[in-house]
Amino acid sequence: MKKITIYAAAVAMVTLGSCNIINKGITRVNGSSGKSTPTTASNTTTAPTAKTPVIDENAIAGEWTIVAVGKTAISDREEMPYINFDNGRLYASNGCNVLNGSYNLADGRLSFSHMASTMRYCPDVPFEHDINVVIADGTGYNVKTENLGHESYLYLMGENGRKLLTARRHNMGFLNGQWLVTGINGRPIDDEECNIFFDVAEGKVHGNTGCNYFNGKLYISPDRSNALELSNMGVTRMACPKTAQETSMLVALEETASAIRGNGNQVILLDKNGKQVMTLLRSENQNIDNE
């Protein structure tokens, strides 16, 4: 699933207030009224003397893919739901309709207000209503984040500690920068001209096969862990004696389905079956971790 860009659509928006279509007849989950007294994200389980870091704006800012609501897991959909936090403004999708409104984060508690939504009818999105119940006017939740490998998770928690909504985003910033190709399909490569450069934020990749320059697109799927897809490769056509190396490198790039950190300053590219297709070593004088 490719990343969906939010744009202004000429679609009627309805306010999600006391008379709106989403909140009508809905009982708040776990008594999550916006009038609840602010608490920290873990004050129900941490000893009073423990110092618990308070979740701040920087920890939640940006876009997250919603992967579960309540006990319902969400995956492998053409339009994955998402939630985007941008300096007090909220932009989201329930997998069918686009939502926007305001949010406030204080003392580890997140609340929503002034919510509005488009009004498409999507009978094939069974979790749409459940997401609307969570992201609605007047709701407030304790919030928790954690990092697991190359991914970060955001949890909206009910008063009893139950996870009401789970969102995920990748931590693939370690790919950013210049890398030397040290191996292709298990064969060692000793060629300083054979390199690759990743720009995760821009979704671009370029480099040199040791013979020709190439460039293309980089895509990280929110549906899969460690996902990395490289496509739309353009290559110059200069003749040189490294044709076999060039061919194997271009094929390996097209076959790449994921990327993981190796030992030290290494990155390993894998195909869809988990087979190692390329080994990279970070070029000198670069920041090792660029997340």
Side-chain angles (χ1 to χ4, degrees):
M1 180 208 73
K2 303 300 180 183
K3 180 180 178 70
I4 300 172
T5 303
I6 303 174
Y7 57 90
V11 181
M13 304 291 285
V14 293
T15 303
L16 306 189
S18 59
C19 298
N20 63 66
I21 187 169
I22 290 181
N23 283 342
K24 186 176 181 180
I26 292 176
T27 301
R28 296 294 183 201
V29 180
N30 296 318
S32 51
S33 170
K35 299 181 180 180
S36 300
T37 302
T39 59
T40 61
S42 58
N43 65 350
T44 58
T45 57
T46 306
T49 57
K51 294 183 179 180
T52 303
V54 176
I55 302 297
D56 61 15
E57 175 69 25
N58 292 330
I60 69 168
E63 184 171 312
W64 302 75
T65 300
I66 299 174
V67 295
V69 56
K71 295 182 179 180
T72 302
I74 305 170
S75 64
D76 299 325
R77 299 190 63 88
E78 184 176 351
E79 293 188 22
M80 287 290 289
Y82 61 83
I83 185 167
N84 191 320
F85 300 97
D86 184 9
N87 195 29
R89 292 295 301 169
L90 171 73
Y91 308 94
S93 168
N94 55 28
C96 173
N97 284 288
V98 174
L99 297 79
N100 63 60
S102 301
Y103 72 90
N104 180 62
L105 178 64
D107 296 326
R109 190 168 179 83
L110 180 68
S111 58
F112 303 115
S113 61
H114 304 100
M115 295 300 302
S117 172
T118 55
M119 299 198 49
R120 292 172 56 196
Y121 174 61
C122 301
D124 61 336
V125 186
F127 49 80
E128 175 188 9
H129 172 79
D130 295 333
I131 292 177
N132 289 343
V133 172
V134 176
I135 309 175
D137 272 347
T139 55
Y141 310 96
N142 293 333
V143 61
K144 174 183 176 182
T145 62
E146 67 175 340
N147 295 326
L148 297 175
H150 300 332
E151 298 173 332
S152 292
Y153 285 84
L154 171 71
Y155 307 107
L156 303 189
M157 317 287 289
E159 300 298 341
N160 59 0
R162 184 166 63 92
K163 296 174 183 176
L164 304 180
L165 186 143
T166 301
R168 179 183 67 200
R169 69 181 174 196
H170 69 78
N171 289 328
M172 300 292 279
F174 67 90
L175 283 174
N176 282 322
Q178 187 85 21
W179 301 83
L180 297 177
V181 178
T182 59
I184 301 175
N185 291 317
R187 182 171 64 88
I189 300 295
D190 185 12
D191 184 352
E192 292 184 355
E193 295 182 344
C194 190
N195 59 73
I196 186 168
F197 185 96
F198 296 108
D199 188 334
V200 174
E202 294 295 325
K204 296 180 180 179
V205 58
H206 64 81
N208 195 304
T209 65
C211 180
N212 281 285
Y213 292 99
F214 67 88
N215 62 72
K217 294 184 178 180
L218 178 159
Y219 174 67
I220 297 175
S221 171
D223 293 345
R224 297 185 296 106
S225 297
N226 310 324
L228 175 65
E229 298 175 16
L230 307 173
S231 61
N232 294 355
M233 292 294 179
V235 187
T236 58
R237 297 296 184 184
M238 183 175 64
C240 75
K242 303 176 184 177
T243 302
Q245 173 180 298
E246 178 176 82
T247 300
S248 62
M249 179 176 178
L250 293 175
V251 171
L253 291 174
E254 290 184 358
E255 292 179 341
T256 296
S258 61
I260 60 174
R261 299 191 196 208
N263 296 325
N265 295 337
Q266 283 190 329
V267 156
I268 299 172
L269 305 186
L270 309 170
D271 67 12
K272 64 181 180 180
N273 298 316
K275 176 187 174 184
Q276 181 173 321
V277 295
M278 192 176 296
T279 305
L280 309 176
L281 179 66
R282 184 173 290 280
S283 296
E284 295 181 358
N285 302 320
Q286 290 200 75
N287 186 2
I288 293 178
D289 194 347
N290 200 13
E291 293 184 33

